[in-house]
Amino acid sequence: MTTTPATLSTAAELLAEKIASRTARVGIIGLGYVGLPLAVEFAKAGFTVTGIDLVESKVERINAGDSYVQDVSPADVAALVEAGKLKATTDFSVIAELDTINICVPTPLRKTKDPDMSYIVAACQEIAKFVHPGLLAILESTTYPGTTDELVLPMLSGTGMAVGRDFFLCFSPERVDPGNPKFQTRNIPKVVGGVTAECTRMGALFYGQALEHVVPVSSTQVAEMVKLLENTFRMINIGLVNELAVMCGRMGINIWEVIDAAATKPFGFMPFYPGPGLGGHCIPIDPFYLSWKSRQAGIEARFIELAGYINGQMPHFVVEKVQNALNDRAKAVKGSHIHILGVAYKRDIDDVRESPALDIIHLLQRRGATVTFIDPYVPSIRMDEEILLAAEPGGAVTNADCVVIVTDHAGTDYDALLANAALIVDTRNALRGHTSDKLIRL
Ligand SMILES: NC(=O)c1ccc[n+]([C@@H]2O[C@H](COP(=O)([O-])OP(=O)(O)OC[C@H]3O[C@@H](n4cnc5c(N)ncnc54)[C@H](O)[C@@H]3O)[C@@H](O)[C@H]2O)c1
């Protein structure tokens, strides 16, 4: 859009001018895996960015020029803080001085598998205190379709300002893939949908300053549903391939070889891989936001429930594999030493949220095994009330009755593992190409 001083009469035009000239003061609520990389991208693009988080220690680390998110380099944070482009605070009153505010807070499930909206509500209550003409608010947390219009909008319009005229509200799903060196915040296309067309225009203009490709859509509901389609697609396809892995195991067929051969089809097939179960903050959780909303509309999300059940069974399947492999060697899980290689929910990251490794360790301990683990990214894990420290490298593999590869981090010395372990259950096909009597694949 082209603006001249003579046309800067509405809140939209003033905001558009500030965004285009990168003088807009940007705010990010929630400085985690999503919020901190986003804050850094906008600061790198020349905006002055203020991050807001409840956790004092995170705020202190950022202001000290440090990073606690693996994909964000401390050097980048330090340079941006030094240049006055990035700062963090626990004080929400700064919103009064900001032009944009992105909400990147957690959206977990309650024990009942219902959405826990308390973090979004808490963040919006703070924004509502300081919402002002010309503010662009964008929800990025993954949530059910309808959240932005039905929950966030009424909270922010309480002051009598009109959305699309006085302030602007969008939903834009975050698609960050932690640990992915090829696709990061900057080059992952950004979908954005506003409550009104003017909101979408503001949102698209905003992201267009710092990110490479913006995909405007017609509504917040479409943008919300895009994220749920993407993650539900993954979750269901992983569920399908996990079920096939169980079938193939029973029939003595190598599922990994089947998938590799099927993936040679140049159209109409996309490979998904089985594993020890789903992990992370997204795939095991997001589809249940959709099934919850769908139930309200009178439709049971049967694919989601089924895939959720199958994926949830995978840690049990892995433990059965371990048990059968030990039984074949006249041993039992009870009294055995089982060593877990990798506890992060996927390779080359340090995140153990919802990691299937935690379930596997718990199940093995319940059956009377002594369990140790090692993970180059995770020094300790919390198991209920107990903290389990990582084993010293080396000895545990040789001493264990069985080693279970749960996470296939790059850099693992699999030749040494094959040479030193008595028995290996490989849930990731990390030992692709190897054959050995002591190797059991998923
Ligand atoms: N991690 C991912 O790979 C990923 C990918 C895509 C989407 N998402 C979605 O993005 C959202 C954020 O996920 P995340 O992984 O960054 O979570 P996170 O737990 O890493 O970070 C959330 C941050 O928000 C802070 N916070 C919580 N409540 C707050 C409040 N009321 N005010 C201010 N700060 C608050 C927390 O202290 C934390 O620092 C979730 O909805 C998630 O589903 C995550």
Side-chain angles (χ1 to χ4, degrees), residues 30 32-34 53 58 92 105 107 141-142 174 178 227 282 353:
Y33 288 92
V34 166
D53 204 288
K58 291 188 176 182
F92 287 85
V105 296
T107 43
S141 303
T142 307
E174 180 49 59
K227 176 72 185 177
C282 295
R353 288 179 294 178

Side-chain angles (χ1 to χ4, degrees), residues 296-318:
Q296 316 245 302
I299 296 170
E300 287 297 325
R302 285 179 287 179
F303 272 118
I304 294 174
E305 300 298 334
L306 182 59
Y309 173 77
I310 292 168
N311 292 329
Q313 288 302 303
M314 291 313 285
H316 297 265
F317 183 63
V318 170

Side-chain angles (χ1 to χ4, degrees), residues 44-113:
K44 278 185 184 169
F47 290 90
T48 302
V49 180
T50 306
I52 308 171
D53 204 288
L54 298 175
V55 179
E56 192 88 47
S57 58
K58 291 188 176 182
V59 165
E60 282 168 6
R61 281 184 73 176
I62 292 168
N63 289 335
D66 194 8
S67 167
Y68 43 81
V69 170
Q70 205 184 321
D71 289 336
V72 175
S73 90
D76 280 353
V77 175
L80 293 167
V81 169
E82 173 78 13
K85 286 291 168 196
L86 177 65
K87 65 173 183 289
T89 179
T90 55
D91 177 6
F92 287 85
S93 70
V94 293
I95 296 170
E97 306 299 323
L98 297 175
D99 299 299
T100 70
I101 190 80
N102 287 56
I103 306 165
C104 307
V105 296
T107 43
L109 289 172
R110 297 191 185 283
K111 281 208 163 62
T112 52
K113 285 210 154 74

